[in-house]
Amino acid sequence: QKEVEQDPGPLSVPEGAIVSLNCTYSNSAFQYFMWYRQYSRKGPELLMYTYSSGNKEDGRFTAQVDKSSKYISLFIRDSQPSDSATYLCAMSPISSGSARQLTFGSGTQLTVLP
Amino acid sequence: DGGITQSPKYLFRKEGQNVTLSCEQNLNHDAMYWYRQDPGQGLRLIYYSQIVNDFQKGDIAEGYSVSREKKESFPLTVTSAQKNPTAFYLCASTPPENEKLFFGSGTQLSVL
């Protein structure tokens, strides 16, 4: 079993829809959670970074962490065609000042149809 | 503009050949990383370097080598010992005391 599981999709939604992207994990030591967005054939870029359980909002994006269920989500409101990308979750057991212990999900491919 | 520059964008390797992927950053970050990305798999760490003249193996270092002679540069060599080199290679760096990765645009390596 992988430490981090992420549904690969592909996921297609109409413009304006609310999108829910999810990751589950098995290592209860994970404390820091990130979401990266990766456009086709480009490097990932950091979207959201959270530590505690609960919700964190940034514009149209909300990151949710449920440590008791070992489940994290990224919600995108009012989705736009420019949101079409692959979304990668990543998590780390400690804030070590190094990405050495970061574990990535395999990514969910999202297409927002105009 | 600060950032990470990877070159070339596309690279082809013949059997038995070593090839080198370039990674240069002007973010003044100490730590740099090389990841491999295969379809349907998460990013896997090949090598990382926390400081000049020092580097450590990641999870899949076999068949790869690196050097870190300058803070700005962290080239990756894919050796002939790497039997399945076809993948998208990503270079990244992190600011001090931080695990938030900044990535380059990647190099697609294919075998002829």
Side-chain angles (χ1 to χ4, degrees), chain A residues 29-74:
Chain A
F30 287 140
Q31 300 289 332
Y32 294 85
F33 305 92
M34 289 159 242
W35 286 95
Y36 285 84
R37 177 176 62 195
Q38 184 178 23
Y39 292 114
S40 182
R41 290 297 136 195
K42 299 289 186 185
E45 55 179 331
L46 183 65
L47 268 182
M48 301 287 284
Y49 178 93
T50 58
Y51 165 65
S52 58
S53 286
N55 294 352
K56 180 178 180 180
E57 269 191 44
D58 185 0
R60 295 185 296 110
F61 299 91
T62 299
Q64 186 176 81
V65 174
D66 182 347
K67 290 184 181 177
S68 61
S69 301
K70 299 191 183 69
Y71 189 90
I72 67 170
S73 299
L74 178 70

Side-chain angles (χ1 to χ4, degrees), chain A residues 20-34:
Chain A
S20 172
L21 304 166
N22 311 297
C23 287
T24 58
Y25 60 95
S26 57
N27 187 348
S28 57
F30 287 140
Q31 300 289 332
Y32 294 85
F33 305 92
M34 289 159 242

